[in-house]
Amino acid sequence: MAYPYRDDRETTTLLSRYMGEPEARTLDGWLERGGYEALGMALEMKPDEITEIVKESGLRGRGGAGFPTGMKWGFMPKENGREHYLCCNADESEPGAFKDREIMRWTPHLMIEGCLIAARAIRAEHVYIYIRGEFFPVVRVLNQAVVEAYEAGYIGRSVLGSGWSCDITVHLGAGAYIAGEETGLMSWLMGGRAEPWMKPPFPAARGIFGAPTTVNNVETLASVPGIVANGSAWYRQWGSDKSSGTKLWCCSGHLVKPGNYELELGVPLSEIIYDVCGGAPDGRRVRAVIPGGSSTALLTADELDCETTYEGMQAAGSALGTASPIVMDESTCLLSAMRRIAQFYAHESCGQCVQCREGTEWIAKILRRIEDGDGAMKDIDTLYDLCEQLTGRTICVLADSVVFPLRSSLDKFRDEYESHIQQDACTAT
Ligand SMILES: Cc1cc2nc3c(=O)[nH]c(=O)nc-3n(C[C@H](O)[C@H](O)[C@H](O)COP(=O)(O)O)c2cc1C
Ligand code: SF4
């Protein structure tokens, strides 16, 4: 078996097994650990065979939306009439998420290998890795790995003598959150502003330079070599039917042991927060959790017994998103937390859609006013109304991203808003 196996729930390390081992960053170190064996196997297969294995594995995109990866690859045209592209989305700017940078920092060749296999499957001969510009140390590691892989013939002309050629370009971002949205990312790669465009056409029909393109997240692509080397049934031994495999959980906020943990999908969220991360520090109680990164609906402490699968989190009224729970204990003012989230999205709106450009700004201003003690009860209705106006009416879902946490906090912690408005006092302890 070329890739790590299951030990037990706490040490299910398909992606994180070599994190912390500096030798794994080097090509030699990676080869010693079974690296690039999966690429060799993929080169023996037809592109559609690779796609079929990934489809059967049930792997779903780890960039937030959870779209089935094999199905996405299957949308790419089958003919070789014109160039195809793969974009690896290494932007990772969702507040709360910090997993992709660790994959690239410790095991850059794992991701590169995943990129090459995916490129082969979708008949691409050029991969763009779009990486957040602020990740300076990570960029250095990644660039070094790309150079090494070029020199050893894993990237470039006729990869490993197969006759199939593939180049990789690492392209840096300049700090815009919206460049992580796939069409914004492609606009940026083509030299424009990172402004999303309307879908359809979807990237598989019309992507960078007008050519068929697939955009995948770092963690998605890093999951691929293991699947190709060990088969889809191997991957399906973890997780549920609709949410197979393992997931890196970025746990932050009021926790005794915050950090990245790789866990099988489906572990109850309460287990992650209390057993794995030790709960809130100093004996304080958990008040609320935003489970999937800042753009997901928050859950109260009583709602944490949900299964951490895509379907389980949806049934709980939230989303798995990037699996980045932000834990807030009883000392947290939720109004203040929502104001900060709203400010973030208002700042990051690209400004193309009126609802998003104006609406996120209004929400931030109203929340600020309430926080400053100048709110009125009708502000709550206005906030609900704004949530309505921002949902499903814009080019991309950045606008919706502020609605999910805000509306859930209004529904579940209305007393917090009322207390600020009526008594200029917070319900946090
Ligand atoms: C505002 C916004 C920001 C996003 N940022 C990221 C990001 O930083 N990284 C990422 O992989 N996906 C991000 N996405 C999702 C991408 O648009 C896309 O769905 C994803 O890269 C597809 O990869 P996957 O199928 O492997 O998940 C973002 C989406 C939106 C709407
Ligand atoms: S929703 Fe916001 S970020 Fe997305 S395209 Fe419209 S203005 Fe830009």
Side-chain angles (χ1 to χ4, degrees):
M1 189 173 292
Y3 273 83
Y5 48 85
R6 177 182 191 162
D7 295 323
D8 56 47
R9 179 172 285 183
E10 256 68 46
T11 54
T12 306
T13 51
L14 276 57
L15 296 163
S16 57
R17 182 169 188 174
Y18 301 116
M19 285 184 187
E21 294 182 27
E23 312 82 54
R25 286 181 183 145
T26 64
L27 182 60
D28 287 345
W30 191 241
L31 293 175
E32 276 166 26
R33 289 163 177 77
Y36 289 107
E37 283 178 25
L39 175 64
M41 293 165 82
L43 290 173
E44 305 276 302
M45 298 176 195
K46 294 201 174 75
D48 292 345
E49 284 177 60
I50 308 171
T51 302
E52 206 46 46
I53 293 174
V54 173
K55 221 181 243 178
E56 281 167 11
S57 76
L59 174 67
R60 294 173 66 164
R62 305 303 197 212
F67 195 83
T69 307
M71 193 191 287
K72 188 187 265 193
W73 294 2
F75 293 151
M76 291 291 279
K78 303 275 179 267
E79 83 288 357
N80 287 319
R82 65 167 306 183
E83 69 277 26
H84 293 180
Y85 293 101
L86 174 74
C87 288
C88 170
N89 191 343
D91 190 47
E92 193 172 57
S93 36
E94 173 86 344
F98 44 87
K99 59 185 178 68
D100 296 343
R101 66 197 76 176
E102 295 303 303
I103 293 175
M104 293 184 283
R105 187 158 75 95
W106 291 107
T107 51
H109 288 287
L110 175 63
M111 190 192 75
I112 292 170
E113 190 174 358
C115 285
L116 290 164
I117 296 171
R120 170 92 178 148
I122 63 164
R123 301 170 171 82
E125 298 202 338
H126 203 129
V127 178
Y128 286 97
I129 301 175
Y130 169 83
I131 183 165
R132 189 168 154 187
E134 293 95 322
F135 291 165
F136 301 118
V138 180
V139 171
R140 268 203 298 274
V141 171
L142 184 60
N143 276 335
Q144 175 64 25
V146 168
V147 167
E148 276 186 312
Y150 257 112
E151 284 171 0
Y154 294 104
I155 312 176
R157 192 170 289 277
S158 187
V159 172
L160 298 178
S162 64
W164 170 71
S165 303
C166 189
D167 284 306
I168 294 188
T169 304
V170 178
H171 193 89
L172 268 63
Y177 169 71
I178 196 58
E181 195 280 337
E182 59 187 8
T183 56
L185 182 155
M186 290 187 285
S187 299
W188 173 260
L189 276 174
M190 290 187 288
R193 292 162 60 112
E195 289 176 339
W197 70 68
M198 213 56 163
K199 289 180 277 191
F202 289 96
R206 198 178 155 78
I208 359 177
F209 312 122
T213 304
T214 293
V215 182
N216 275 135
N217 168 259
V218 169
E219 188 184 355
T220 313
L221 292 166
S223 304
V224 167
I227 294 169
V228 169
N230 298 291
S232 51
W234 170 83
Y235 195 67
R236 278 197 173 277
Q237 66 184 295
W238 299 286
S240 72
D241 189 32
K242 290 184 182 155
S243 306
S244 56
T246 66
K247 180 84 197 68
L248 284 171
W249 283 82
C250 315
C251 305
S252 69
H254 295 134
L255 289 168
V256 174
K257 291 182 283 176
N260 267 320
Y261 296 93
E262 184 174 0
L263 297 162
E264 175 173 13
L265 281 165
V267 178
L269 186 57
S270 53
E271 232 178 281
I272 298 179
I273 287 166
Y274 294 108
D275 300 344
V276 179
C277 297
D282 304 323
R284 293 199 298 270
R285 282 176 300 146
V286 171
R287 191 169 193 215
V289 177
I290 305 183
S294 65
S295 58
T296 55
L298 63 74
L299 299 172
T300 66
D302 298 332
E303 295 173 317
L304 303 181
D305 275 331
C306 45
E307 257 191 10
T308 56
T309 52
Y310 291 94
E311 61 277 18
M313 296 306 292
Q314 199 180 353
S318 188
L320 191 81
T322 51
S324 309
I326 302 168
V327 178
M328 293 173 278
D329 72 17
E330 56 192 330
S331 68
T332 312
C333 171
L334 284 169
L335 171 70
S336 170
M338 289 308 128
R339 192 256 308 150
R340 292 183 65 158
I341 288 176
Q343 271 181 332
F344 170 79
Y345 287 108
H347 183 258
E348 297 298 336
S349 166
C350 81
Q352 290 187 96
C353 318
V354 178
Q355 294 92 332
C356 175
R357 185 183 66 233
E358 302 297 324
T360 52
E361 198 65 54
W362 280 26
I363 289 172
K365 277 187 187 153
I366 292 171
L367 292 173
R368 165 70 80 191
R369 191 167 68 215
I370 300 175
E371 203 183 356
D372 287 346
D374 298 323
M377 286 301 281
K378 67 177 184 340
D379 286 338
I380 296 181
D381 296 333
T382 311
L383 287 170
Y384 271 117
D385 187 40
L386 280 163
C387 288
E388 199 58 36
Q389 300 301 326
L390 262 67
T391 305
R393 294 166 199 248
T394 50
I395 296 174
C396 81
V397 294
L398 182 140
D400 303 61
S401 302
V402 72
V403 171
F404 289 118
L406 175 65
R407 186 156 38 202
S408 56
S409 77
L410 286 165
D411 289 345
K412 295 173 186 179
F413 294 93
R414 192 183 170 102
D415 57 332
E416 171 103 337
Y417 290 83
E418 290 182 350
S419 169
H420 273 275
I421 293 168
Q422 293 173 330
Q423 285 128 40
D424 193 12
C426 186
T427 55
T429 53

